[in-house]
Amino acid sequence: MNRRTLACTLGFLLLTSVAAAQGVTAEADITAGRSTEGVNAAGTQLRLFGAVGHDWRMSAEVTWAGNFKNRESDAFGAAYPYDRSVRPMEVFVERALPKAERLATIRIGRYRDPFGISGRSDHAYGGFTRAPLIRYGTNWALSNTFMTTGVDALIGRPALSVEASVGASQDEGQARRPDALALVVRTQGYWHSTIVGVSHMRSRPSMHGSYVQGPMVFTGIDGRWMRGGVQLRGEWVDGRPFNGVATRGGYLDLIVHRTGMGPLTLVGRVEKLDYDAGPFSAYYHRVVVGGRYQATRAIGTQINVLHQPAGLTHGHRNVLDASVTYTVRF
Amino acid sequence: MTRWLFPLLIALSTGVASAPAAVEGAVTVKGKPANDTVVWLDAPDAPRAPTRGAVLEQRDLQFFPRVLAVQVGTKVRFPNSDRVLHNVFSYHDGEPFDLGLYPVGEVKNQSFDRPGLSRVFCNIHAQMAAYVMVVDTPYFAVSDARGQFTIQDVPAGTYHYHAWRPGSPILNDVIDIRPGVPFDVRWP
């Protein structure tokens, strides 16, 4: 166990002991999945969240998940590392200063980088079994398990807010940046069920090698709209994982849960990722259709059918992912 | 004097008997205290007014409270006090509505103008659910964690009452509201 894992574990234990005496909710997810890409997967997450004092709230999460057989596949890696290790994930406290029509929140601890559509609940168990290409760590762009240990402040109003995070990168998953300074700035606007954000980040690269020089820099725009059970959301990012190369790409999600569909949610995604690196360039695209069936409040099933180029994940052009998740709250 | 005294005593006794008072009660299911139960009395002649300060908050991917009871005509506030977006909606019986997508710090309002039960969900987070019971009477309450409830300012008398809780059939019965008489609601 390295130092950061030890520190996060101690933080997790400290927060859980504090939480035990407070009005805190505990939640566990247990997932089993199978993909025709030759993947069997299992995972579990335990999280605690809630109030721990006047205006203070906490969140702590630990995960264990693993892919078996084809460990190169990104199947089921929507929001957690599948590396068969027990990992502390987000461990933080935050304080919101409630003022009418105003936002002022400070978060201290370890949290997912607030770049674009970055929340756990945005990507985990929402209907998609995989992270977007631009958010899967080994694809020369961002990662849904990029994390920072530091301070995050959000100010503004619901209609327009600014968020800034400064701290040290402490990532999980295969793509890990050095424990060095990481900055993320994001601004978000809201108008009539439409939310648009612009994010910028700067940190050390997650890739390693003598050819890796300079910082990792990305700028992105994200948008969400929802009405009548139809949600459109997407992101576009442009930047460089290190000097001399460029990555750009994005995705557009359609998520439909209309009245009358009951426990069924249908999802679709189109996405692309361009990595310009001379002879090492890669140009990927992927189409996903699928759904989520919430059989009971505790049991949800996700099925995704993917069409993708052969080069993306070892020769499987068409893939079927299926998973079952059991969620329980204490 | 006797001619005046008798009606006066009758009037006084009626006035004392019907003076509004808080009615305390308890809800049990199979003998155990039951929270989140809405209990209301039929009172067609009682004055109506929208419930003040009705709030259904979104926090930690949950609704607080899980069960909210309001009078007909109440405007309920739906603040997003979370760190993520929500899309509150309701369908089936009661009051169908869709508040659309809205971010942290934003507050949406929804009027409930018809009696009945509204099941409230978030269209982004499937596990979030709450209930708004709209009643056409000023005499109602929701039981707390110990199964206890208090209905304020109820004149003594005989009432039809109703009780509802998630997952149980609605109870309909008659209660004689008098000082010192317990108001027990029991599901077998």
Side-chain angles (χ1 to χ4, degrees):
Chain A
M1 182 181 286
N2 61 25
R3 277 187 308 167
R4 70 178 181 184
T5 303
L6 178 63
C8 288
T9 303
L10 290 174
F12 184 85
L13 292 173
L14 178 64
L15 282 179
T16 53
S17 60
V18 170
Q22 309 283 340
V24 168
T25 300
E27 181 181 79
D29 294 325
I30 303 166
T31 301
R34 186 177 178 89
S35 170
T36 58
E37 212 163 51
V39 177
N40 294 330
T44 184
Q45 291 88 40
L46 173 66
R47 64 187 70 91
L48 299 168
F49 49 86
V52 288
H54 187 62
D55 290 337
W56 284 94
R57 292 196 289 180
M58 58 80 65
S59 181
E61 181 183 47
V62 63
T63 184
W64 176 90
N67 270 2
F68 302 89
K69 293 187 179 178
N70 181 2
R71 299 189 66 183
E72 299 301 315
S73 170
D74 60 351
F76 309 112
Y80 295 99
Y82 272 67
D83 58 0
R84 308 187 202 180
S85 299
V86 176
R87 298 281 181 207
M89 297 292 287
E90 292 183 292
V91 181
F92 61 79
V93 293
E94 66 181 2
R95 186 176 190 196
L97 302 174
K99 299 267 187 183
E101 299 292 317
R102 293 183 185 173
L103 295 172
T105 302
I106 187 166
R107 174 181 287 189
I108 303 167
R110 187 191 201 209
Y111 45 82
R112 293 174 193 268
D113 282 6
F115 185 106
I117 299 173
S118 57
R120 174 195 67 82
S121 68
D122 290 319
H123 293 286
Y125 312 124
F128 294 100
T129 55
R130 305 185 184 213
L133 292 172
I134 60 166
R135 287 187 162 274
Y136 189 71
T138 57
N139 287 343
W140 316 285
L142 307 172
S143 168
N144 274 343
T145 53
F146 274 176
M147 310 186 84
T148 295
T149 296
V151 178
D152 176 276
L154 184 152
I155 59 169
R157 296 171 180 270
L160 184 63
S161 59
V162 177
E163 183 173 10
S165 163
V166 58
S169 303
Q170 289 201 327
D171 306 329
E172 296 294 350
Q174 293 183 57
R176 294 189 182 195
R177 299 166 295 177
D179 293 1
L181 183 66
L183 300 169
V184 180
V185 179
R186 171 178 164 76
T187 184
Q188 177 178 291
Y190 159 67
W191 186 75
H192 283 221
S193 291
T194 302
I195 293 167
V196 176
V198 176
S199 305
H200 180 78
M201 68 162 292
R202 187 181 182 95
S203 69
R204 296 275 298 278
S206 61
M207 302 179 75
H208 305 283
S210 57
Y211 57 91
V212 176
Q213 303 289 330
M216 179 180 195
V217 180
F218 276 96
T219 301
I221 182 169
D222 57 274
R224 285 181 270 208
W225 172 87
M226 186 169 197
R227 202 75 191 180
V230 178
Q231 181 182 180
L232 283 170
R233 71 176 187 182
E235 290 184 89
W236 183 265
V237 301
D238 196 334
R240 61 176 192 271
F242 54 90
N243 284 351
V245 299
T247 301
R248 69 187 63 83
Y251 64 94
L252 179 65
D253 289 347
L254 172 66
I255 303 169
V256 181
H257 181 218
R258 303 260 311 156
T259 301
M261 292 175 67
L264 178 64
T265 300
L266 297 176
V267 300
R269 169 179 289 164
V270 291
E271 55 182 329
K272 67 174 293 186
L273 180 142
D274 295 347
Y275 174 57
D276 291 319
F280 304 103
S281 297
Y283 303 98
Y284 293 158
H285 63 273
R286 178 184 268 170
V287 178
V288 182
V289 294
R292 179 172 189 267
Y293 188 83
Q294 191 71 30
T296 69
R297 282 193 74 179
I299 298 175
T301 301
Q302 299 182 113
I303 294 177
N304 281 187
V305 177
L306 295 84
H307 177 70
Q308 56 195 8
L312 186 54
T313 44
H314 310 285
H316 294 76
R317 282 184 176 277
N318 299 299
V319 177
L320 175 69
D321 296 344
S323 68
V324 178
T325 300
Y326 176 73
T327 301
V328 60
R329 281 192 173 186
F330 308 100
Chain B
M1 182 173 172
T2 314
R3 195 175 61 180
W4 292 103
L5 185 60
F6 185 70
L8 181 61
L9 287 173
I10 290 292
L12 282 174
S13 63
T14 306
V16 169
S18 61
V23 175
E24 297 184 345
V27 181
T28 55
V29 177
K30 296 178 180 176
K32 295 181 178 177
N35 65 340
D36 286 343
T37 301
V38 184
V39 181
W40 70 101
L41 310 176
D42 284 347
D45 299 328
R48 273 35 172 195
T51 307
R52 288 187 175 185
V55 177
L56 198 60
E57 185 180 26
Q58 304 137 65
R59 181 161 33 92
D60 297 330
L61 301 183
Q62 299 175 83
F63 286 108
F64 291 95
R66 181 169 168 247
V67 174
L68 178 69
V70 298
Q71 276 200 73
V72 169
T74 296
K75 184 179 285 187
V76 177
R77 289 164 50 85
F78 289 85
N80 181 351
S81 305
D82 226 322
R83 282 286 298 221
V84 296
L85 312 174
H86 291 297
N87 186 152
V88 178
F89 76 103
S90 174
Y91 60 91
H92 295 316
D93 49 337
E95 200 86 33
F97 61 86
D98 181 355
L99 300 183
L101 188 67
Y102 60 105
V104 180
E106 181 69 0
V107 180
K108 295 279 189 174
N109 298 301
Q110 174 64 35
S111 288
F112 289 82
D113 299 323
R114 285 184 289 142
L117 179 67
S118 290
R119 296 169 174 84
V120 180
F121 305 98
C122 172
N123 216 331
I124 300 172
H125 305 101
Q127 73 276 24
M128 292 177 65
Y131 304 89
V132 178
M133 177 61 86
V134 185
V135 296
D136 192 17
T137 172
Y139 308 132
F140 66 95
V142 181
S143 64
D144 61 20
R146 295 178 298 168
Q148 297 178 345
F149 64 89
T150 303
I151 304 177
Q152 301 290 347
D153 300 328
V154 184
T158 302
Y159 294 87
H160 287 278
Y161 80 85
H162 313 276
W164 172 89
R165 65 185 299 275
S168 295
I170 197 164
L171 279 184
N172 303 290
D173 210 336
V174 176
I175 181 77
D176 191 14
I177 301 288
R178 282 180 290 140
V181 177
F183 186 177
D184 292 330
V185 176
R186 297 190 187 94
W187 270 275

